[in-house]
């Protein structure tokens, strides 16, 4: 109860009211008692005076005690008091209540002594005669200048005490009622004071729980209202800051989520605190990596070493790491940080795999081109030297040499043309114009053009496709080049007596074209690589081939949105397939693309 503001405010009030009222009751009852007693004293004095006046006559004539006793009784009845008649020597001559003859000498009674000395005597004391507190008033009876006796009137104080007690009771009742009222009032005031504080506390708790929309309406115009306003200001500022912070966090999380580089943060104990998807995929780590030891997640001694070195030296460490497991090359930067007591490291991972691949492709390409150029150039050089040294004397030999030089030059020109074609297609400089094209238009011209060559090689060449095969969307010239390349290969790699079949079939929204031969076939190891530039599976047979034909075919088919692949069984033959999209009749536009 003491820890409750309501009671802390109300209790002192209640105590104060009770104390004040108790003091007031005590003071009032004493005061009223005094008044009553003074009043009674005055009344008794005047009654005693009256009695003394009336006694002058009987005492003057020496009336007998019986008469005096009867008088005392009569007056007592009228005054409703005890009346005593005392002789000047203290003997009791008559009394309204008692058997006066047995009463002791009253000379030494204080009121009698006082009356004899001052003419009026009063006293309040316990009366042994009647057995309770009495107030006495005595007046001397003067007859012819002599004190002939004393008249005394007395009344019990009981009446006064009853009045006082009744008064005290009423005062106490009033005090109790006032205390209860004051207490209630104090509680009410305290409650009204405490209520906004309680609301403020509740709202502050809600704010602490994370509900940032709390706002208090000030209902009063006092300090508590100021407090409420200050609270609202604090809440709104907090909300602003939290919103800004969470927006920032979302933005940062977005950046981390979508950035190509890997980012990791480890705490001072080397546990992963943050890892973005790129880092997880670069390291081949599981998704529940947060909280796990860094060494477990990095799983590469060089990465762990870099991290340790950076922690030990407190400096940024950088290195390139080859991850054989993922076949990846990573650039790693480890930066240690120490901010507001927290220690940790920021680890950035950059994937250099594609850069390395591009580098390799470029290097391979240059070395391939130089390699391919070197052979024909070397033989040209040899032919020229031979011609200069000796062949001039032999016109026939000279002619043979010149024919061979011509053939070498043709091969060179062919290679350069193919290289140019390939680079034009790859770089998008050879725009393709797609148009609805019949399968017949695509297949027949290349077949007819190469038929003499096939016949010379003693190969049968046939074309098969259903008459109702749908038209496709294609660049006719580019398609002819694809077929020429495939047919050239088929003729080149099929021994005499073999067969080459060109076929086309509709499959769903596609037409699949195939060129099948009964030739030497391709080894399973070579099969996935034959579409690479300069790749020749069988160098002895490929003869003057450049290794570019299939690469060009692949690029053209892919530019059409189709696929190209090969199936082969060594020694039995190969089949090359490619697909083309069926022309959509609703699509009348002529598309242009690479
Ligand atoms: P090339 O100019 O050497 O023919 P290509 O790119 O056209 O170059 O072919 C690459 C390699 O694929 C050839 O050297 C050959 O080894 C293999 N190849 C292509 N077509 C056939 C085929 N029909 N039969 C067997 N091997 C083939």
């Amino acid at each position: 109860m003491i820890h409750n503001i309501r009671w802390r405010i109300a209790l002192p009030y209640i105590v104060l009211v009770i104390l004040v009222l108790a003091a007031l009751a005590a003071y009032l009852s004493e005061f009223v008692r005094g008044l009553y007693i003074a009043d009674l004293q005055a009344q008794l004095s005047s009654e005693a005076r009256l009695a003394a006046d009336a006694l002058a006559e009987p005492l003057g004539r020496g009336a007998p005690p019986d008469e005096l006793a009867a008088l005392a009784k009569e007056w007592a009845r009228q005054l409703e008091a005890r009346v005593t008649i005392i002789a000047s020597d203290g003997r009791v001559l008559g009394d309204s209540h008692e058997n006066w003859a047995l009463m002791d000498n009253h000379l030494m009674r204080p009121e009698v002594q006082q009356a004899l000395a001052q003419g009026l005597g009063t006293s309040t004391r316990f009366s042994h005669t009647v057995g309770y507190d009495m107030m006495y008033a005595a007046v001397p009876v003067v007859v012819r200048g002599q004190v002939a006796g004393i008249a005394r009137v007395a009344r019990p104080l009981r009446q006064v005490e009853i009045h006082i007690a009744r008064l005290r009771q009423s005062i106490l009742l009033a005090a109790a009622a006032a205390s209860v009222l004051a207490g209630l009032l104090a509680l009410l005031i305290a409650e009204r004071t405490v209520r906004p504080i309680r609301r403020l506390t509740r709202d502050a708790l809600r704010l602490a729980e994370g509900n940032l929309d709390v706002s208090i309406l000030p209902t009063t115009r006092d300090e508590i209202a100021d407090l409420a306003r200050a609270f609202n200001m604090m809440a709104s500022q907090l909300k602003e800051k939290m919103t800004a912070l969470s927006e920032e966090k979302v933005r940062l999380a977005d950046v981390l989520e979508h950035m190509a580089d890997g980012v990791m943060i480890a705490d001072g104990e080397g546990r992963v605190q943050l890892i973005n998807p790129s880092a997880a995929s670069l390291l081949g780590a599981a998704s529940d990596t947060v909280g796990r030891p860094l060494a477990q997640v990095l799983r590469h001694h060089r990465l762990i070493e870099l991290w340790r070195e950076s922690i030990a030296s407190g400096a940024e460490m950088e290195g390139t790491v080859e991850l054989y497991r993922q076949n990846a090359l990573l650039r790693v930067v480890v930066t240690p940080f120490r901010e507001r007591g927290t220690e940790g490291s920021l680890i950035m991972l950059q994937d250099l795999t594609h850069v390395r691949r591009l580098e390799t492709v470029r290097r391979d390409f240059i070395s391939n081109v130089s390699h391919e150029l070197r052979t024909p150039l070397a033989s040209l050089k040899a032919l020229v030297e031979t011609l200069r040294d000796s062949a001039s004397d032999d016109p026939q030999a000279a002619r043979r040499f010149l024919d061979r030089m011509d053939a070498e030059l043709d091969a060179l020109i062919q290679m350069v043309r193919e290289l140019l074609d390939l680079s034009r297609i790859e770089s998008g400089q050879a725009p393709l114009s797609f148009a609805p094209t019949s399968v017949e238009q695509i297949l027949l011209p290349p077949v007819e053009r190469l038929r003499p060559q096939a016949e010379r090689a003693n190969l049968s060449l046939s074309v098969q496709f259903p008459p109702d095969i749908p038209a496709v969307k294609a660049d006719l010239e580019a398609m002819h080049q694809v077929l020429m390349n495939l047919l050239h290969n088929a003729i080149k790699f099929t021994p005499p007596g073999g067969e080459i079949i060109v076929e086309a079939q509709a499959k769903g929204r596609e037409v699949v074209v195939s060129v099948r031969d009964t030739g030497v076939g391709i080894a399973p190891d070579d099969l996935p690589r034959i579409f690479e530039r300069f790749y020749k599976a069988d160098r002895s047979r490929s003869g003057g081939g450049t290794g570019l034909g299939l690469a060009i075919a692949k690029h053209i088919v892919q530019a059409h949105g189709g696929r190209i692949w090969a199936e082969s069984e060594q020694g039995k033959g190969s089949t090359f397939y490619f697909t083309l999209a069926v022309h959509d009749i609703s699509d009348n536009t002529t598309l242009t693309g690479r």
Side-chain angles (χ1 to χ4, degrees), residues 418 485-494 515-523 526-527 529-539 541-553 566-568 573-576:
E418 282 185 356
N485 287 0
L486 295 180
L487 283 171
H488 259 304
N489 283 344
I491 293 168
K492 195 157 61 181
F493 295 105
T494 308
V515 177
R516 188 163 74 236
D517 62 52
T518 54
V520 295
I522 305 161
D526 295 322
L527 203 52
R529 303 197 56 192
I530 51 172
F531 292 97
E532 289 175 18
R533 281 181 298 202
F534 297 112
Y535 193 81
K536 295 178 205 164
D538 187 346
R539 288 189 175 266
R541 266 178 222 270
S542 104
T546 55
L548 291 172
L550 286 179
I552 292 172
E567 287 169 5
S568 177
S574 323
T575 313
F576 284 79

Side-chain angles (χ1 to χ4, degrees), residues 443-461:
L443 299 189
L444 293 188
V447 169
E448 290 318 318
R449 205 180 307 162
L450 289 180
R451 194 178 286 286
Q453 208 174 320
E455 278 167 2
R456 272 203 301 279
N458 194 18
L459 300 169
S460 84
L461 179 57

Side-chain angles (χ1 to χ4, degrees), residues 543-564:
T546 55
L548 291 172
L550 286 179
I552 292 172
K554 184 182 83 174
H555 277 285
I556 293 173
V557 170
Q558 283 178 348
H560 278 73
R563 289 163 289 132
I564 185 165

